Amino acid sequence: MKKYRSKKGAEKLSLVIIHTVLAIISVIWLLPFLMLIILSFRGEQVGMSANYLFPKQWSFDNYVKLFTQTKFLTWYGNTLLVSVIVTVVQTIIVLVTSYALSRLRFKMRKPLMNVMLILGMFPGFLSMTAVYFVLKEINLTQNIFGLILVYSASSAMQYYICKGFFDTIPKSLDEAARIDGASRHTIFFKILLPLAKPIIIYTILTAFIAPWGEYMFSSFIMLGDPDKFTVAVGMKSWLDNSTLASEYFTIFCAAAVVVSIPITALFIWLQRYYVEGVTGGSVKG
């Protein structure tokens, strides 16, 4: 009995230690975001050179100037348009590709999967120069639809997580539906997709996040036309030696807070489905 109590006490102590460590890590992780929010409400215009954190004067002026004196709304609209279109296109391509690789058997299936997996290991910026010249030849540089094309082109290579989820759905469901006369189209839309809600949510979130905060490709393709900038490129243009010492630093902080709101809201709203999609939870047979 004493051994049982001592073991139980040790387990409780270890849980307390683990929770304490996780709480400390959470505070450290949240501290930069808290500082960003605080700086966005700083009323005094001292730029980044201030040697104190908490504002001496709290104000909403940075948010007012953000929406009235900058091109932020234009950049925000560009980013939202690109992200929504890419999300729709990429989600459809990933789901269709994952279904085909999970349920169909055809020649070169495994080599094709291996090739896509290997290509996905190389960072996208290696092809940035070639992609730019291709877009230039078809007059899609400094064009939002050129950016959408770049983000959507390699969507099929994101198949591996979604395919793994489809693999956990028993194939006996497909076989039973085929016996009843259902087509591949019916099986996909009427049986698999309703069971794959978590992975659909996961695919939508990852597809939306990627273009929302991407900087490298968008800055390369949209270079020279401020009206076509995304928020990442536009906000980066404020971060030089002349603007860091001016009011643009606190406006930048306000813009960062506004940009983070949609992603934060989506994650909070869809967190349960996101976790299920990552862990591959589904109907098991």
Side-chain angles (χ1 to χ4, degrees):
M1 190 68 179
K2 289 182 179 179
K3 289 183 179 179
Y4 174 76
R5 289 180 178 176
S6 61
K7 184 178 179 181
K8 195 172 182 180
E11 289 177 353
K12 287 183 178 179
L13 180 61
S14 63
L15 284 175
V16 170
I17 294 174
I18 291 172
H19 290 163
T20 302
V21 172
L22 290 176
I24 293 172
I25 293 174
S26 299
V27 171
I28 295 173
W29 183 76
L30 289 172
L31 188 60
F33 299 96
L34 180 61
M35 292 175 61
L36 190 70
I37 294 173
I38 291 174
L39 291 173
S40 70
F41 289 103
R42 179 189 286 173
E44 60 274 17
Q45 304 301 332
V46 291
M48 198 177 178
S49 59
N51 56 2
Y52 57 90
L53 173 61
F54 291 96
K56 297 179 181 178
Q57 179 184 353
W58 296 81
S59 173
F60 284 96
D61 288 348
N62 295 317
Y63 290 92
V64 174
K65 292 176 181 178
L66 176 67
F67 291 111
T68 58
Q69 298 181 13
T70 69
K71 293 180 178 291
F72 179 77
L73 282 178
T74 301
W75 302 338
Y76 198 91
N78 294 340
T79 309
L80 186 62
L81 176 64
V82 171
S83 298
V84 169
I85 296 177
V86 169
T87 298
V88 173
V89 173
Q90 183 166 321
T91 301
I92 293 172
I93 293 176
V94 168
L95 290 175
V96 172
T97 303
S98 301
Y99 171 76
L101 294 175
S102 175
R103 288 307 203 253
L104 305 181
R105 295 296 180 266
F106 50 88
K107 287 185 178 181
M108 299 299 292
R109 172 179 167 272
K110 288 187 177 180
L112 177 63
M113 292 169 57
N114 292 334
V115 168
M116 288 194 291
L117 187 61
I118 293 171
L119 288 176
M121 295 179 181
F122 293 92
F125 65 82
L126 292 178
S127 61
M128 191 162 56
T129 304
V131 169
Y132 176 80
F133 280 107
V134 170
L135 292 177
K136 188 175 181 180
E137 288 296 321
I138 57 178
N139 295 320
L140 283 180
T141 54
Q142 297 183 351
N143 189 306
I144 289 177
F145 293 100
L147 197 59
I148 292 171
L149 180 62
V150 170
Y151 290 150
S152 303
S154 60
S155 298
M157 290 195 293
Q158 311 300 321
Y159 75 91
Y160 35 88
I161 295 178
C162 189
K163 176 192 173 294
F165 190 96
F166 281 144
D167 288 342
T168 66
I169 301 177
K171 293 183 179 179
S172 58
L173 297 176
D174 301 40
E175 294 168 357
R178 295 284 288 179
I179 292 173
D180 290 337
S183 63
R184 294 283 186 185
H185 178 276
T186 303
I187 293 172
F188 179 67
F189 285 99
K190 300 292 185 180
I191 297 177
L192 291 186
L193 287 190
L195 294 174
K197 188 175 181 180
I199 200 63
I200 294 173
I201 299 299
Y202 168 82
T203 305
I204 290 172
L205 282 174
T206 53
F208 185 84
I209 291 170
W212 188 261
E214 200 276 331
Y215 169 75
M216 189 170 295
F217 265 110
S218 54
S219 65
F220 200 61
I221 294 173
M222 299 299 183
L223 185 65
D225 190 351
D227 290 330
K228 300 293 179 62
F229 284 175
T230 59
V231 287
V233 180
M235 290 170 61
K236 176 62 173 65
S237 67
W238 294 340
L239 298 182
D240 56 33
N241 293 330
S242 61
T243 56
L244 282 176
S246 68
E247 61 181 322
Y248 272 103
F249 174 68
T250 49
I251 294 177
F252 173 87
C253 295
V257 172
V258 174
V259 168
S260 66
I261 290 175
I263 301 297
T264 305
L266 278 174
F267 264 100
I268 293 174
W269 181 34
L270 302 173
Q271 182 181 18
R272 178 169 65 88
Y273 297 108
Y274 182 85
V275 173
E276 290 180 10
V278 172
T279 55
S282 111
V283 176
K284 304 265 196 262

